[in-house]
Amino acid sequence: MEPIRFSVVSSNCNNTNGPRLGTLTRSNYRIDTPAFMFYTKSGSVPYVSREVFDKILPNDQVLFNHPLPTNLNFYETLKEYNLGLNKFVGFENYFCCCSITDCAVETRQGFNVKDKVAIKSKSGNQLITYERYMDIMEVFKPDMYVTLCISNTNLDSVYSAIEKSVNISNRLFHSCLERHNKSETLKGSGVIAPIQGGYNVKERIRSAKYLAEYNDVLGFLFDGFFTDGSTVEDIPCDIVMPVITETMEYLPPDKMKIIFGAWTPALIIDFINSGIDMFDSTFPYLATENNCALIFDYNLKYKNNGIILSIPDNNSDKNREKLNIYEICLMDKMYFESFEPLKDGCTCLTCQKHTKAYIHHLLVSNEALGPILLTIHNLHYFYQFFKDIREVLFKNKHQQ
Amino acid sequence: MVKTSLKFDVIAKCSTSHARTCTMELPHYTVETPVFMPVGTKGSIKSLLPEQLEDIDCQIILGNTYHLGLRPGIDLLKKANGLHNFMGWNRALLTDSGGFQMVSLLNMAEISEQGVNFESPYDGSRSLLTPEKSIEIQNVIGADIIMQLDDVVPTTSKNNERMEEATYRTTRWLDRCISAHKNTEKQNIFPIVQGGLKDDLRKLSANLNLERKANGYAIGGLSGGEAKEDFWRMVLLSTQMLPFDKPKYVMGVGFAVDLVICCALGADMFDCVFPTRTARFGFALTSYGTLSLKHAKYKMDFEPLEKNCICSTCKTYTRAYIHHIVSTEVVSSTLLSVHNLNYQMQLMKGIRDSIKKNIFPEFVQDFMIKLYPNKNYPPWCIEALESVHIKLK
């Protein structure tokens, strides 16, 4: 198969920062960026089978992100199977990315030994060397993958821990890439270099500079911002943004830039404005986990070399006790008699057929269909948000 | 005379056994029988979208009056314009009376002539489910077929006096249900033949029911742990008492063997939580028996759950994948439920098609030999089938 490629289609700024449209292609398959990867657990998008997934986004090409802790126990089976992870989990003909951290849950720290990385899998902690990791990748055969790294840094990390994560991750990257270049199986797969450094800009730049010297990567992952995926929403924008923008200048503009985690839509826009191309779906996933539906109204405009997101404050529904501006919680009694869709005008299967009252009933009755209907809506809504972002960038490109 | 909102036509009859295939035209859908009805206890078939049920050709599903009456409750269902609307299901629906759950789920239920006095599991308050109340709730739910409240005594009970009392009371409650039934144009009430395992009581109950003239009849009080020898005899006795031109519904039957044999004995409709419940426990139903996907032997098994199965699970996934996710990911319930319900639906379709071609006895023989390749058929199966002139190979 052809190698996977990323290319920037349009970028309106002269410097490396700024929002851009791009494409990720392999053979006849193509994904337009900015986009997000669908987060999976044990190979499946949580709560939905392939059959149901096809009802969320019929016919669109998408990319799945498979975090290693949730699928490490597939290794023996996949070795025998020989057709790769994505076919095994029912997503043949879709793009497949393998990554190291499960960005939706807490990842334990302190188990990393020398250049071995502790992966907390279903069968306990496993120490993974780069050799073993590359064995796994050769068996999983992803279209792209993050090289083995230590990313257990967060807002509280001390300098020595940050320095260690950069050093080890850089070394592991080098070893993985060497092995990658010798591998016949992974010939067409893309390597994603993980930039570490926590919230220390100097360390970030050191990591970025080192990794940027390698030309043969598909993209860069901004990693190591959190160790508990469920707390990402609370990370302040003014702390994380400078780290991204300052590091970005040291990265080659033509490569894909990725960040994972449940960042809020407002922060996603800021990230896109700084040149990030790819995200993941932990934000809608965690909304579902909290029995919530994404309902935020938004206006997107292009102005001064960036997208501006405005979220009108809807006071029409005075009873609404919003958790935040993005979602409503369907466990709330106020939806008991609410015979309207989760979001007026939403074209997802859930909103076309079902009411808040029904979903409320399913959730309070602990019926498995509740999270399924929420997942359909939340993924659809998040997908539409990204479609609209691309649309704004596309229109702007043609106006120039 | 109950007004007609059900049109029942026998399309073909097996020339050997009592099996028949029919169409049953209901207000929301025309159902082909013999039919299996999946159970959607609390307003959804667990882990499945209504679209998925339609895709596997599910024609009628069952809702539980007891659960729905407690939650979301009758007032909400009234505002929602019935259960069809509330859950987004456009095909046929049947509701039970609620009596069975009270007796089976609740220790504190007390049965009197008035009705069943029970304690709400949600708030501990006591309520009385009378025949009138059951019908009131069922009228609000709006199912195409509703059931009378019956006095259920476990078939294993040795108390003959209680059994006789229950049989007569069931008929008295039937009369109260019929008078309470307000929506005869859109909903059919089915009486229930009771009588435990006693021939004379069953006959009596059937005769009392027949005097009431309904559009269809149920055979109740079975599938409660009685010996299979008793079970099939009671089914046969009941189907033979009930009129040829009416649908006959054996309640609580869902094992494949039981379905095939009850069809041979002349029954038309069945319901059971079994296929979906067993799916949630990690079991897959196949023509060659049940697979327990938790078993380590499936770790390297790259076959679908059943070869040539047309369900979406078998088209996409291997046994090995399902083995890996079966006890950890809830999506495995969806995968196995789709497969198991599709298995039931295809089994019933196979039965209907073979009756139309008048090769039902051969169908039964093939079915049994796949399940019992060593021909160690359970004796009750042999007897039951011989009673309707089907000999196993």
Side-chain angles (χ1 to χ4, degrees), chain B residues 3 6 26 43 56 61 108-109 121 123 126 131 163 167 170 223 259 262 265 269 272 284 316 339 360 375 382 386:
Chain B
K3 278 184 210 162
L6 183 152
L26 293 167
I56 57 177
I61 62 174
M108 300 296 286
D123 60 9
R126 288 203 79 85
M163 192 62 86
T167 307
T170 294
S223 281
L259 291 169
C262 286
L265 301 177
M269 300 162 65
C272 194
T316 312
H339 173 81
F360 178 69
K375 302 193 180 184
I382 301 174
E386 276 178 356

Side-chain angles (χ1 to χ4, degrees), chain A residues 42 44 47-52 73 77 81 88-89 122 336-337 339 349 353-354 358 361 364 367 369, chain B residues 42-44 46 48 51-52 71-72 76 79 86-88 299 302 312 317 321 324 328-331:
Chain A
S42 306
S44 282
Y47 303 110
V48 298
S49 63
R50 169 66 195 266
E51 182 188 18
V52 175
N73 58 332
T77 299
Y81 183 64
F88 183 62
V89 302
K122 282 179 189 169
F336 181 71
E337 279 187 26
F339 297 113
L349 179 69
K353 277 200 71 172
H354 299 290
Y358 182 54
H361 164 73
V364 296
E367 286 285 296
L369 190 56
Chain B
K42 298 176 183 177
S44 85
K46 292 196 199 306
L48 298 179
E51 287 78 4
Q52 289 176 289
R71 195 183 254 170
L76 187 83
K79 284 180 188 157
F86 187 58
M87 67 181 288
K299 195 176 169 186
F302 303 116
S312 64
Y317 300 96
Y321 180 62
H324 275 292
T328 50
E329 301 301 327
V330 289
V331 72

Side-chain angles (χ1 to χ4, degrees), chain B residues 297-316:
Chain B
K297 69 179 170 189
Y298 298 113
K299 195 176 169 186
M300 301 291 180
D301 190 337
F302 303 116
E303 294 293 325
L305 293 172
E306 179 158 13
K307 247 184 207 164
N308 304 321
C309 174
I310 56 165
C311 84
S312 64
T313 301
C314 287
K315 275 193 241 163
T316 312

Side-chain angles (χ1 to χ4, degrees), chain B residues 121-357:
Chain B
Y122 296 120
D123 60 9
S125 63
R126 288 203 79 85
S127 329
L128 183 69
L129 184 79
T130 60
E132 292 77 14
K133 184 75 192 167
S134 169
I135 297 302
E136 187 196 345
I137 303 173
Q138 294 192 72
N139 279 164
V140 169
I141 294 173
D144 302 76
I145 297 173
I146 65 177
M147 303 305 299
Q148 75 152 116
L149 185 70
D150 53 347
D151 186 359
V152 189
V153 178
T155 43
T156 45
S157 163
K158 295 273 184 291
N159 188 338
N160 291 338
E161 223 171 285
R162 174 72 185 95
M163 192 62 86
E164 195 174 335
E165 180 197 31
T167 307
Y168 282 104
R169 182 176 286 154
T170 294
T171 304
R172 289 196 295 275
W173 283 2
L174 171 63
D175 290 333
R176 285 166 63 187
C177 286
I178 290 174
S179 351
H181 182 27
K182 297 234 163 58
N183 194 12
T184 50
E185 269 113 81
K186 295 235 171 83
Q187 294 184 281
N188 300 280
I189 184 166
F190 278 24
I192 302 173
V193 178
Q194 283 292 353
L197 305 176
K198 296 256 175 283
D199 283 22
D200 49 344
L201 284 181
R202 282 264 159 204
K203 282 182 190 159
L204 175 81
S205 178
N207 278 326
L208 290 169
N209 279 341
L210 290 177
E211 287 166 16
R212 270 78 185 172
K213 299 261 188 294
N215 290 331
Y217 296 90
I219 299 161
L222 298 174
S223 281
E226 71 280 357
K228 288 287 184 190
E229 284 71 17
D230 294 326
F231 165 77
W232 78 260
R233 286 199 174 82
M234 289 300 119
V235 171
L236 181 62
L237 186 147
S238 310
T239 58
Q240 295 319 292
M241 292 285 300
L242 295 171
F244 180 76
D245 60 351
K246 303 279 164 149
K248 302 161 194 180
Y249 161 31
V250 186
M251 303 173 84
V253 167
F255 296 141
V257 172
D258 298 4
L259 291 169
V260 169
I261 286 174
C262 286
C263 286
L265 301 177
D268 307 298
M269 300 162 65
F270 313 92
D271 80 283
C272 194
V273 294
F274 170 69
T276 41
R277 179 173 289 169
T278 205
R280 295 197 298 282
F281 293 155
F283 293 94
L285 307 176
T286 81
S287 321
Y288 301 91
T290 303
L291 316 178
S292 170
L293 271 305
K294 286 181 187 163
H295 200 285
K297 69 179 170 189
Y298 298 113
K299 195 176 169 186
M300 301 291 180
D301 190 337
F302 303 116
E303 294 293 325
L305 293 172
E306 179 158 13
K307 247 184 207 164
N308 304 321
C309 174
I310 56 165
C311 84
S312 64
T313 301
C314 287
K315 275 193 241 163
T316 312
Y317 300 96
T318 58
R319 294 170 177 182
Y321 180 62
I322 297 171
H323 163 76
H324 275 292
I325 64 165
V326 75
S327 44
T328 50
E329 301 301 327
V330 289
V331 72
S332 63
S333 298
T334 302
L335 299 183
L336 288 168
S337 295
V338 165
H339 173 81
N340 286 356
L341 285 183
N342 183 70
Y343 170 78
Q344 301 283 107
M345 296 304 143
Q346 290 303 311
L347 174 66
M348 301 317 281
K349 184 173 188 299
I351 292 172
R352 293 193 299 266
D353 290 348
S354 72
I355 298 169
K356 282 177 203 158
K357 292 184 202 148

